[in-house]
Each structure stands twice: as C-alpha cells, then as structure tokens.
Amino acid sequence: MTSPVLFPLDVGELSFEASGNALVRRTVLPSGVRVLTERVPGSRSVTVGFWVAVGSRDEVAAEAAHGSSGGHPASLGSTHFLEHLLFKGTPTRTAFDIASAFDAVGGEQNAVTAKEYTCYYAKVRDADTEMAIEVMSDMLTSSVLDPQEFETERGVILEELAMAEDDPTDVAQERLFEAVLGEHPLGRPIGGDADTIRAASRDGVMAHYQANYRPNDLVVSAAGNIDHDQLVQWLTRNLEAAGWDLGVTAHPVARRNMSAAAVMRGSELVVVERPTEQANLMIGWPGITSTDDRRVALATMNAILGGGMSSRLFQEIREKRGLAYSVYSFSSGYSDAGVFGLYAGCSPRNVAEVASLLVDEFHRLATDGVTADELRRAKGQLAGSAALALEDTDTRMSRLGRAEIGSGEFIDYEASMGMLNAVTTEQITSLAADIAARDVSLVVVGKATESALSTIVEKGNAWGTHSS
C-alpha cells in the first residue's frame, strides 16, 4: 500500500491489505462505536486498546467545570484520576478480579492518559482475546468509582506525582511545555498536580466519566491473530450486557480541528533549583502539528540533529567534548500545536557552555543545512526503526487507534517510506530555519546561574531577528 487510506466517519465498512500481508478492517457500528483490526500472519498474540479522545488538554479549572451548562468538562487532573479508577472495580468484578484475570494468563494490562486521548490496553495470547474484551468492556462501561477506592487512589496518584517530581528530567519536560506553549491547554501537565488531585471530587470525575465514555466516543483497535467479525461480536455482546444501547443511531464524535493554533510563549527562562549532581537542561521552540505536511522532514531533521549516536549533538557534546552522558533532540506534535526541543544532562559548572553548544548546533543546521550523507543515514535509521517496530502487535494496535482518533488517515509502512524518501536537504533546512526563528525557551532543573543563561536565550531570540 503506497498511499494513505482515509477513515471517513460516515463509512461503515472498510478493508485493505497492509504491509506484511496484514489485513486491516474497520467497522463503524450504528451507535458510533468504531472497531479496527489488523490481522498479522504468524502472530500468536493480540494487543487490544480501548480509546477515548479525551485527554488532559480537555480539562478546565474546577470552578469552570462545576459551572458549565453542558458537556461536563473535566476539572484539572480528572482524566488521569479516572484512568486509575477504571481498574478499581465494577458491580461484577473487584480490582483484584480485574488484575488476576490478566495475571492468570500471563497477559499485560495498563492504560495511558495523554494530552489528547486516554487508552486502556492489554496484550494476551490469541486464545485469551475474548477474556480481554470481556474484562475491558466491563471496566470501561461499568466502573463504580467506589468512594473508598476513590480516596485510596487519590493517595496513589499523589505518590505518582511525587515520584515524577523527584525525577529532574520529568520536571524539566513539564516546565518546558509550560514555558513554550504558555496558556495553551497542551502546556499543562498531563497528570495535574498535587493541588488539583487533592481538590478533585468523586462527583466531578463521575460527571466526566458519564459525559465522555459513551458509544460514539469509543474506538477499539486490535492487532495480531484476531478475527475482525469475531471481535465485533464479542465487543457488541459485552457492551450490550453492560447496558449500552447499541441500537440507537449516533454519529461518531467529530475529530479535533487540525489547524495550527496561535501559541504565545509562557516563559523564556525557567530555573528550578534542585540539589542534584547534574543540571538537566532543555531548550525548546514551538514545533509543528501532527498533520503538518513537513512532519516527515521534521523526523528526519531530528534524527540528524539529535536522534542517535551519530547525530550532531551526540558527536559534538558527548563524543568530542565529554560534556554530557545523555544528549538528544525531540519533537512532540499534536492536533493544533507542537514542541521541538533539545536536552542535555551535564555538570552545573558546564550548563551555560552546553546550552550554548545546543543552540549553536541547531542554528548551524538551520543556516548551513545538512549533507547528503547525513540525509541518507537518517533515512536509513528511520526506515529501519519503523520496520522493527512493526514486529510488535502493540505498535500496530496503537497505529490504528491513533489514526482513527487523530487525523483519520492510516499511513502504512510503504506509504511512510514513500514520504520519507521524498524528503530533501532543502526541506530540512527550510523547516529548521522556520523553527529556529520562533520564540525560544530555556529550562534548567538543578544548579544554574540565571545571568549566564540569559545570554543563551538572547542568542536564540536574536537568530530569528537576524535570519529575517
């Protein structure tokens, strides 16, 4: 398959062959439930995900949530809170029943709250797929949100947040998103913070659950040794047994607007003092959206700049100068905004030098471009890693779910390779120059002197003015 396949919300049935002779099928039930499968020849496992297109960006301050006249938007931290609570029991299963069902068959079950979706997923032997569908359907539709479990899980989440606060890299990343994206909802931390979790109420989380976990919100994707019709049958039976009326006609919820939003920088310099041995340094700019036509060029640029051991940042900062052990670049794209960033962990006495080197390397790429050899190597790296990832049913399941919830466009391996092969050195240089000209933000967690870092921020801001 050499071109993307669209997933229209008003098309009930769709099927096509994907890479490796895998069969992809998609069914939109009259109730709006969407079911996608990818049958992978030779696989003995199945990974299944239950997706809802609600994430941390959809939350609002508690007082706004309580005062809303419609839609019951979640208060800050409620999406993550609910993710935990769906594992805590239903009228027919205790939390132990849910956990032991998967342990007893050697399966894996977990969930993730992201900025734009929540996903509950499991990986089991093909013979245990029916059990996984039954248990996960029960969890998703029938959680009781027991008041005692609610308070117990509040303590668990506070410990999870405390653990993240003890990880300077996590802290740096959260602060960077806040600094780069400012008041944009994507700039908020996914899990909320200690104050929002303490303030969360069971009634508020329940309202969020009832408003957003409905048939036309649900996407189920599965990959591995799975029969599509059988999965639809199992899913339908269990959802109806839980009380969902799948006979009512409803259109699937609309996808997000994929147009880029205006982003105003929150902070240009943030220093979080911590008594750590290393300074954790991140530098970021507003990036591009997940559907931007330049996204494959961005992935290629990222590989060249800081995506591996042969990358410019790794070679210059670690191999040549020995100033850091971990150094890399990264990119995160969402429906209407994104972040492009650089990271290094280094001695506090070297933080200004390393920050300057990070910015210089990015500016050098934006000014002078990349070589044909760098482009060839980056394309090989991306093609190889994509092919290896598809050996895992987890990746294939996630690819289906993200395509359905996000862009509505499925891009198979061959199609993605065609897009990758079309990337040119000129496209990379142009994109790098565009991003480098945007407002820069610098975050350090550890020991650092703000005055020394201010000059780095000035250098980053001045490049945009000079380049124009």
Side-chain angles (χ1 to χ4, degrees):
M1 189 181 71
T2 57
S3 59
V5 175
L6 297 180
F7 287 163
L9 294 178
D10 57 355
V11 174
E13 294 288 340
L14 188 66
S15 66
F16 55 90
E17 187 174 293
S19 56
N21 298 317
L23 176 64
V24 174
R25 292 187 59 189
R26 175 178 180 263
T27 296
V28 180
L29 300 177
S31 60
V33 174
R34 288 164 281 171
V35 187
L36 303 96
T37 62
E38 184 170 1
R39 188 179 183 98
V40 182
S43 176
R44 293 304 307 272
S45 68
V46 173
T47 303
V48 58
F50 282 56
W51 304 71
V52 178
V54 177
S56 60
R57 69 164 299 166
D58 302 302
E59 300 168 343
V60 298
E63 57 272 17
H66 294 156
S68 174
S69 59
H72 297 289
S75 58
L76 299 178
S78 292
T79 307
H80 181 221
F81 212 137
L82 180 59
E83 175 225 305
H84 279 245
L85 290 169
L86 291 199
F87 290 87
K88 305 308 289 184
T90 72
T92 58
R93 287 181 174 84
T94 66
F96 181 80
D97 291 335
I98 293 170
S100 62
F102 290 93
D103 285 349
V105 298
E108 304 170 1
Q109 186 194 28
N110 211 329
V112 58
T113 302
K115 290 183 182 288
E116 296 192 317
Y117 62 82
T118 309
C119 178
Y120 305 84
Y121 59 93
K123 185 172 187 176
V124 294
R125 293 179 304 172
D126 49 9
D128 299 313
T129 306
E130 184 177 6
M131 178 278 296
I133 296 297
E134 180 182 341
V135 175
M136 294 178 73
S137 296
D138 190 29
M139 287 172 52
L140 191 104
T141 61
S142 306
S143 178
V144 295
L145 275 63
D146 178 80
Q148 183 175 343
E149 292 283 10
F150 188 92
E151 293 306 320
T152 300
E153 208 59 25
R154 191 195 304 273
V156 172
I157 297 171
L158 288 171
E159 290 300 325
E160 181 184 3
L161 295 177
M163 180 177 68
E165 276 294 311
D166 282 341
D167 185 332
T169 306
D170 280 359
V171 175
Q173 182 161 318
E174 293 287 11
R175 299 300 190 277
L176 183 74
F177 270 73
E178 294 172 359
V180 172
L181 298 178
E183 294 299 317
H184 192 290
L186 289 170
R188 295 195 301 255
I190 290 173
D193 57 32
D195 290 338
T196 60
I197 295 301
R198 291 191 186 101
S201 69
R202 179 183 177 276
D203 287 347
V205 175
M206 178 64 84
H208 168 51
Y209 180 40
Q210 293 172 338
N212 296 293
Y213 284 57
R214 306 164 301 174
N216 63 332
D217 286 291
L218 179 61
V219 171
V220 177
S221 64
N225 187 21
I226 183 69
D227 179 85
H228 182 83
D229 293 328
Q230 184 71 78
L231 175 62
V232 171
Q233 180 183 334
W234 289 335
L235 181 66
T236 300
R237 183 179 70 223
N238 283 285
L239 294 179
E240 289 179 337
W244 277 20
D245 186 354
L246 301 187
V248 174
T249 301
H251 198 270
V253 292
R255 298 187 176 106
R256 296 181 189 276
N257 187 335
M258 292 293 176
S259 301
V263 173
M264 183 173 295
R265 178 172 56 188
S267 305
E268 63 177 23
L269 177 59
V270 177
V271 176
V272 181
E273 290 286 348
R274 292 286 175 87
T276 54
E277 292 298 315
Q278 279 195 321
N280 285 263
L281 166 67
M282 285 193 176
I283 304 173
W285 297 259
I288 62 176
T289 67
S290 59
T291 57
D292 192 296
D293 291 340
R294 301 169 295 174
R295 62 190 182 277
V296 182
L298 178 61
T300 312
M301 181 190 82
N302 184 63
I304 293 170
L305 182 63
M309 295 177 66
S310 64
S311 68
R312 292 189 179 189
L313 295 181
F314 193 94
Q315 288 295 313
E316 183 66 27
I317 295 174
R318 173 169 162 163
E319 296 296 276
K320 293 181 181 179
R321 301 173 186 265
L323 292 173
Y325 174 76
S326 179
V327 55
Y328 55 84
S329 59
F330 61 92
S331 177
S332 299
Y334 303 94
S335 59
D336 61 352
V339 172
F340 179 72
L342 316 174
Y343 168 83
C346 63
S347 169
R349 68 176 179 273
N350 295 327
V351 67
E353 180 183 2
V354 171
S356 183
L357 289 168
L358 289 170
V359 172
D360 287 346
E361 282 301 318
F362 184 38
H363 287 176
R364 187 173 296 113
L365 188 153
T367 302
D368 301 334
V370 301
T371 67
D373 187 58
E374 286 178 318
L375 181 60
R376 175 193 58 77
R377 193 165 60 241
K379 288 182 176 181
Q381 176 187 345
L382 294 173
S385 62
L388 294 176
L390 292 178
E391 297 291 315
D392 190 346
T393 56
D394 296 17
T395 300
R396 290 176 180 264
M397 180 282 292
S398 182
R399 180 175 62 166
L400 280 174
R402 289 171 185 267
E404 179 62 52
I405 278 186
S407 64
E409 181 180 64
F410 179 87
I411 302 176
D412 195 27
Y413 181 76
E414 284 83 5
S416 65
M417 289 305 99
M419 297 166 69
L420 177 61
N421 290 331
V423 173
T424 66
T425 56
E426 291 78 14
Q427 289 173 340
I428 293 173
T429 306
S430 174
L431 176 58
D434 180 8
I435 294 175
R438 302 177 183 185
D439 290 340
V440 65
S441 296
L442 190 155
V443 173
V444 176
V445 177
K447 302 171 186 175
T449 304
E450 289 195 23
S451 58
L453 296 172
S454 296
T455 60
I456 311 300
V457 175
E458 292 171 5
K459 178 197 295 187
N461 289 332
W463 191 90
T465 302
H466 172 74
S467 65
S468 61

